[in-house]
Amino acid sequence: MTDITDRHTNVSDLTQRVQRLLADIPITDVHTHTFDPAMGSLLLWGIDELLTYHYLVAEVSRARPDMDIAAFFGMPKSDQADLIWNELFVKRSPVSEACRGVITVMDRLGLNTATDNLAEARDYFRNQNIGDYVNTVCRLSKVNDITMTNDPLDPEEYVCWEQGFDRDPRFHAALRLDSALMQWPAGVPRLQQLGYRVTNHLDDATFGEIRRYLMDWRRRLDARYMAISLPPTFRYPQADACITTLIRETVLPVAQDTGLPLAMMIGVKKLTNPALQLAGDSVGKAEIETVERLALDYPGVRFAITMLSRENMHELCIAARKFANILPFGCWWFLNNPSLIREITAMRLETLGLSFIPQHSDARVLDQLIYKWEHSRDIIGTVLAEKYALLPHAIDDKTIQRDLHHLFGTPIAATAGQ
Ligand code: HDL
Ligand code: ZN
């Protein structure tokens, strides 16, 4: 048995080895809001997009409670960015995770982070072309496989798919279902515009047309999985809930027939503060029994699950121990912070071994891949090294690389039966 001093040396040695090896592991990012560069202005990048990320809008609304948020949203994006830079980075230290992320990106791009203005940063980005810049971001972030969030009902995105484009092999599609199915019948007019003969009535005819929509667009996007975000109040079974009926009658039959995984992101309270727009969503504790019942009733369906409440993450680990068709993934949104990534990763390794996907970036702005993955690799690699250090036998580099490839290199669809 190694004594405490040896153990500490062992941990720091193992941490250095894991981090060194992890730096060369190509990353698969299973959930982002980035887009293939061929999709034009849908892909957000650059300093003004980084600084007006909705996480920072929420934070500047706290720094400036006097500010008229509607007037803020009415400002040109560059003015919004200047205001956020001044309030959160110049007048205050950028210690929040979202602020630190911008600093990390700027620093890795060689930009001065101690500046009181954005002139140098804007000049840098003005001289970038998106094709080369995607390569720069993928090189710095080590991400080589990016899953988008795709919504054919979004008019701007629909045009891209209708016109067709040469796809960048690094960018993969996921068919997002929220606009079609949530707040039923809000999606009906758009589904009808795309030629699907749905009505407001939840009857077999409408179910059949929604299944046709899912099958058509799964194929057109070459989607890796279907995804939907759900409120903490989502329940299954729930006889009188539209969304539960629609998932049962349309999404799950398609998942069963095609083997396409279903990603369910559960626990978001949309527009708790509507004035903040995208920044106005909040979190609520969901019911884990709903996840367990779905996994029990649909053993042939692969459920990739992430939840927004810290308390739900432990329950999800235990549910995943009961059902191999539950795949926990990521530290989502309000959980994507160092203190919680550490806690969640440790509990997952302790309860699930390596049978989970530790992180996704949820990046909305391309450049965020740089910080979201650097910050997460740092923590996840360290927690894994601590677990290795508890084993009495030596762990060689090949073993560490095998485990890291498994944790960071497999897309949701490929992890079936891992
Ligand atoms: O529903 C989702 O996919 C969430 O990730 C939301 O897009 C959220 O606004 C977000 O960006 N979280 O990081
Ligand atoms: Zn997301």
Side-chain angles (χ1 to χ4, degrees), residues 202 207 238-251:
L202 294 182
F207 295 149
Q238 178 85 32
D240 57 353
C242 287
I243 189 54
T244 304
T245 302
L246 285 161
I247 288 175
R248 188 189 65 238
E249 297 298 336
T250 66
V251 179

Side-chain angles (χ1 to χ4, degrees), residues 31-33 55 149 176 265 332-333 360-364:
H31 171 59
T32 78
H33 299 271
Y55 290 33
T149 295
R176 187 66 178 254
M265 309 168 74
W332 183 30
W333 200 342
H360 66 275
S361 71
D362 231 313
R364 278 182 174 277

Side-chain angles (χ1 to χ4, degrees), residues 127-418:
N127 290 306
Q128 298 303 312
N129 78 63
I130 186 58
D132 296 337
Y133 189 58
V134 169
N135 296 334
T136 300
V137 172
C138 288
R139 175 173 52 80
L140 291 173
S141 63
K142 311 282 194 280
V143 176
N144 73 343
D145 182 306
I146 300 163
T147 299
M148 306 180 277
T149 295
N150 300 104
D151 178 4
L153 301 187
D154 172 88
E156 190 182 356
E157 183 172 352
Y158 176 72
V159 168
C160 292
W161 296 107
E162 273 300 279
Q163 287 174 348
F165 55 93
D166 291 336
R167 294 190 62 172
D168 181 318
R170 294 167 293 189
F171 289 78
H172 303 272
L175 177 55
R176 187 66 178 254
L177 309 177
D178 300 44
S179 59
L181 305 182
M182 295 302 288
Q183 315 307 329
W184 186 266
V188 166
R190 196 71 188 112
L191 284 164
Q192 289 172 339
Q193 278 173 3
L194 266 63
Y196 297 95
R197 296 178 300 282
V198 297
T199 69
N200 292 10
H201 304 296
L202 294 182
D203 56 25
D204 286 348
T206 288
F207 295 149
E209 282 297 276
I210 295 173
R211 286 196 297 270
R212 186 166 70 89
Y213 165 75
L214 298 177
M215 291 300 281
D216 286 351
W217 285 94
R218 163 202 177 233
R219 184 176 34 76
R220 290 187 67 173
L221 301 181
D222 188 21
R224 272 199 168 145
Y225 58 84
M226 295 180 284
I228 192 165
S229 73
L230 293 157
T233 53
F234 170 65
R235 293 290 181 272
Y236 169 88
Q238 178 85 32
D240 57 353
C242 287
I243 189 54
T244 304
T245 302
L246 285 161
I247 288 175
R248 188 189 65 238
E249 297 298 336
T250 66
V251 179
L252 289 169
V254 166
Q256 278 178 311
D257 294 350
T258 62
L260 204 58
L262 173 58
M264 303 177 93
M265 309 168 74
I266 311 172
V268 52
K269 286 188 318 212
K270 302 298 274 186
L271 297 179
T272 302
N273 180 353
L276 289 179
Q277 298 180 14
L278 254 186
D281 296 343
S282 186
V283 55
K285 187 171 181 305
E287 182 198 73
I288 196 66
E289 287 78 3
T290 281
V291 174
E292 292 167 341
R293 247 335 267 280
L294 281 165
L296 178 68
D297 288 359
Y298 295 89
V301 172
R302 188 86 180 141
F303 293 97
I305 306 286
T306 199
M307 301 178 88
L308 198 46
S309 161
R310 178 187 185 190
E311 293 73 14
N312 278 140
M313 293 312 259
H314 178 255
E315 293 173 329
L316 180 59
C317 286
I318 306 313
R321 286 171 62 90
K322 306 306 149 193
F323 297 99
N325 58 331
I326 294 175
L327 173 67
F329 77 93
C331 301
W332 183 30
W333 200 342
F334 305 120
L335 299 177
N336 195 357
N337 296 312
S339 58
L340 294 171
I341 296 169
R342 162 174 271 282
E343 176 185 275
I344 293 165
T345 302
M347 78 167 72
R348 283 171 167 172
L349 288 170
E350 291 154 4
T351 56
L352 300 173
L354 300 171
S355 65
F356 63 95
I357 294 179
Q359 187 60 297
H360 66 275
S361 71
D362 231 313
R364 278 182 174 277
V365 184
L366 180 74
D367 332 49
Q368 292 174 337
L369 293 176
I370 297 170
Y371 89 81
K372 285 179 182 270
W373 280 107
E374 180 172 313
H375 294 184
S376 289
R377 265 201 305 268
D378 196 31
I379 300 156
I380 297 165
T382 300
V383 176
L384 180 61
E386 288 166 3
K387 297 305 177 190
Y388 283 148
L390 295 173
L391 300 172
H393 57 273
I395 304 272
D396 63 25
D397 283 6
K398 217 157 148 289
T399 301
I400 296 173
Q401 285 168 319
R402 176 205 62 195
D403 294 348
L404 292 174
H405 273 298
H406 183 81
L407 284 170
F408 289 92
T410 35
I412 280 175
T415 34
Q418 51 189 341

